[in-house]
Amino acid sequence: MELKNNLKQAWWRRNVYERDDMEGLDASVLTHRLVLHYSGHEATFADPWWTTASPRSATAWTTF
């Protein structure tokens, strides 16, 4: 896990922080819902947290 984090940080530093022509962003936020639907991700995605926990307990969990 530490190797993965080190590689990610090194890549981010080299390609985002050290370049003036690049900006860092999380592209998953920009993915349109229809892209997820037609690619099959929406139908096959399962989040065990939301399928087993009630929204009330999920909210309580995130407040810690």
Side-chain angles (χ1 to χ4, degrees), residues 44-58:
T44 59
F45 179 76
D47 187 352
W49 175 256
W50 288 106
T51 56
T52 59
S54 69
R56 181 176 178 202
S57 63

Side-chain angles (χ1 to χ4, degrees), residues 25-32:
L25 59 101
D26 185 359
S28 63
V29 177
L30 302 176
T31 304
H32 194 277

Side-chain angles (χ1 to χ4, degrees), residues 10-62:
W11 184 93
W12 197 262
R13 185 174 44 253
R14 175 84 167 114
N15 291 295
V16 177
Y17 295 135
E18 295 179 1
R19 293 180 57 173
D20 293 331
D21 61 336
M22 295 291 286
E23 294 291 331
L25 59 101
D26 185 359
S28 63
V29 177
L30 302 176
T31 304
H32 194 277
R33 186 175 180 98
L34 288 176
V35 172
L36 296 175
H37 175 75
Y38 287 113
S39 66
H41 287 85
E42 193 178 58
T44 59
F45 179 76
D47 187 352
W49 175 256
W50 288 106
T51 56
T52 59
S54 69
R56 181 176 178 202
S57 63
T59 304
W61 177 259
T62 58

